[in-house]
Amino acid sequence: MFYTDGKLQYPVRVERPNPIFARALQQAIGGVEGEIRVMMQYLFQGWGSRGPVKYRDMLINTGTEEIGHIEMLSTAVALNLEGAPLSMQEDVANDGIAGAVMGGMNLRHILSTGLAATPENCNGVPFNASHVYASGNIAADMYANVAAEATGRALATRLYGMTDDPGMKDMLSFLIARDTMHQQQWLAVIEELGGETANLPIPNSFPQSQEASKFSYAYFGHRIDGQVPAGRWTEGPSLDGKGQFTPMKSEPLGGEPVLAPPRPDSGAQTDQINASPIAANDPLAGGTPSVA
């Protein structure tokens, strides 16, 4: 169950309402880097968590915190919309500044919500839960969470630089600080699980003896001139200590794909249906190379 006392997790104040900044804040609510994403990610990871109960509890606690962040940001959007024009005629025709503000607003803030936030990004695209990652593998989820907090913190710092409103800067400084903690939190779980060496490759429960080990630590280069960008990833011991990085020019290891002809009831053309599935120029598929 979830409870609320009706109070904000952190103070939200706006000294100079700005409808365009309200639109920008929508990215922190419903963008791919936003709070809806991490809220759902942590909650679904927690609800499906198997193993030590402390990880489930930690994830659900943090997911619940993110609900509070959405509440803060939604309040900030509403406060930034106070005083915004509600019609095209309201001070727009004779006021270029008001017209520019109206033109830069998310019109759904007027048309759909009556000056309130929406579960979408700054361009009005509704949040898509396909960005939520909950794999059931605790290590994989922690890495996904670190990346989510990193991009979320980058977004918050950009929003911080976009506003000169003291109240908005104060709120964003809190959210940036929480992103810092959450990055550290997920990395601490990885360390507690034994660190990168113990966790890699993910999942570490699959026997590496069943991998095509020739390619486990080979960096594929795909440049036509054969050059491979040299770096830590092309030589020396692998980070899990189980192999050696090597550069390898990528070359085709299989022949051209050969598909069976279409089924008679597939809606394809007769010539397609009656054609041989053997590639005429592919010796590997049983064909005979053509002679020019």
Side-chain angles (χ1 to χ4, degrees), residues 208-218 242-244 246 248:
Q208 277 196 278
S209 60
Q210 296 181 28
E211 291 184 22
S213 58
K214 176 181 179 181
F215 307 107
S216 295
Y217 301 99
K242 300 174 183 177
Q244 291 284 323
T246 57
M248 183 179 292

Side-chain angles (χ1 to χ4, degrees), residues 220-229 249-250:
F220 282 3
H222 290 269
R223 289 180 57 96
I224 195 169
D225 60 8
Q227 293 185 24
V228 175
K249 181 181 177 181
S250 184

Side-chain angles (χ1 to χ4, degrees), residues 8-182:
L8 293 171
Q9 185 180 143
Y10 189 83
V12 177
R13 71 181 195 279
V14 175
E15 297 183 13
R16 294 180 293 276
N18 183 336
I20 297 179
F21 192 62
R23 177 178 178 177
L25 285 172
Q26 284 289 158
Q27 192 68 17
I29 295 175
V32 294
E33 317 90 340
E35 303 289 350
I36 292 179
R37 183 264 181 95
V38 291
M39 174 199 73
M40 295 184 71
Q41 184 155 307
Y42 304 158
L43 288 177
F44 275 93
Q45 287 178 5
W47 291 329
S49 179
R50 300 176 187 273
V53 175
K54 64 178 180 179
Y55 297 129
R56 173 188 173 90
D57 291 345
M58 176 198 62
L59 285 160
I60 293 177
N61 267 297
T62 307
T64 304
E65 176 184 347
E66 302 295 358
I67 299 175
H69 293 177
I70 298 169
E71 182 182 26
M72 290 167 54
L73 287 162
S74 297
T75 302
V77 167
L79 292 175
N80 271 287
L81 289 170
E82 291 187 354
L86 288 173
S87 72
M88 295 295 182
Q89 288 75 35
E90 184 181 335
D91 296 327
V92 173
N94 300 317
D95 187 337
I97 294 178
V101 169
M102 191 73 171
M105 286 181 63
N106 177 354
L107 293 183
R108 287 204 65 204
H109 283 160
I110 298 172
L111 301 174
S112 299
T113 65
L115 303 183
T118 55
E120 58 191 23
N121 69 14
C122 62
N123 289 327
V125 179
F127 176 76
N128 185 336
S130 65
H131 302 299
V132 172
Y133 305 119
S135 71
N137 180 299
I138 186 67
D141 285 347
M142 292 304 105
Y143 280 110
N145 294 350
V146 171
E149 291 291 344
T151 54
R153 192 174 189 276
L155 171 63
T157 61
R158 290 166 183 157
L159 287 166
Y160 187 95
M162 288 179 64
T163 182
D164 58 2
D165 186 282
M168 288 292 88
K169 282 188 175 292
D170 182 51
M171 179 196 74
L172 288 166
S173 71
F174 172 79
L175 294 176
I176 291 168
R178 296 310 298 156
D179 289 338
T180 297
M181 170 56 195
H182 292 158

